Amino acid sequence: MSVPLYQAKAEMFRTLGHPVRIRVLELLQDGPRPVRDLLAEIEVEASNLSQQLAVLRRAGIVTSYRDGQLVMYALSTSDVADLLAAGRRILGAVLSDRDGLLIELRARGR
């Protein structure tokens, strides 16, 4: 029995609903990155990052592969970057009354 589309969408957004996962996706927009680089950029324990990467991988949002001794992660599709960009635009529109957050949003560019 197949899952209704709205339920599949809700599950995808639940998967995206974690700050570490969002940060990983932001970093992967620039191309594949080894786990060690992600760990250096995201201030979490290695085990926490590993768990979050596994969630993203199981959901099909990221892919992983080996490059020699390195485990590399990449966005599974450029549509993920488009979704993050849409999120920034939506935040920009709804947070116009929150100047500080809006300034940070615009300054970061992602």
Side-chain angles (χ1 to χ4, degrees):
M1 185 168 159
S2 67
V3 174
L5 181 57
Y6 65 86
Q7 191 172 345
K9 286 180 183 179
E11 185 59 36
M12 181 192 67
F13 281 108
R14 271 194 294 277
T15 299
L16 297 176
H18 192 286
V20 171
R21 294 180 207 146
I22 293 295
R23 186 64 184 128
V24 165
L25 298 175
E26 288 175 342
L27 292 169
L28 293 178
Q29 288 180 99
D30 295 330
R33 307 268 302 256
V35 173
R36 68 176 185 205
D37 288 3
L38 295 172
L39 195 55
E41 291 281 339
I42 304 170
E43 296 180 15
V44 296
E45 295 292 324
S47 60
N48 187 335
L49 179 61
S50 178
Q51 288 174 340
Q52 303 311 324
L53 288 168
V55 169
L56 291 169
R57 193 175 57 249
R58 279 193 304 271
I61 296 171
V62 300
T63 60
S64 66
Y65 60 93
R66 285 205 170 273
D67 183 8
Q69 300 244 340
L70 301 175
V71 177
M72 305 290 291
Y73 279 85
L75 298 180
S76 62
T77 172
S78 62
D79 291 334
V80 175
D82 294 342
L83 181 60
L84 292 172
R88 285 191 300 277
R89 288 191 305 274
I90 292 166
L91 278 174
V94 300
L95 295 177
S96 61
D97 62 333
R98 297 183 186 174
D99 293 337
L101 188 53
L102 185 60
I103 289 168
E104 180 183 346
L105 182 68
R106 288 181 177 153
R108 289 184 106 188
R110 358 188 112 178

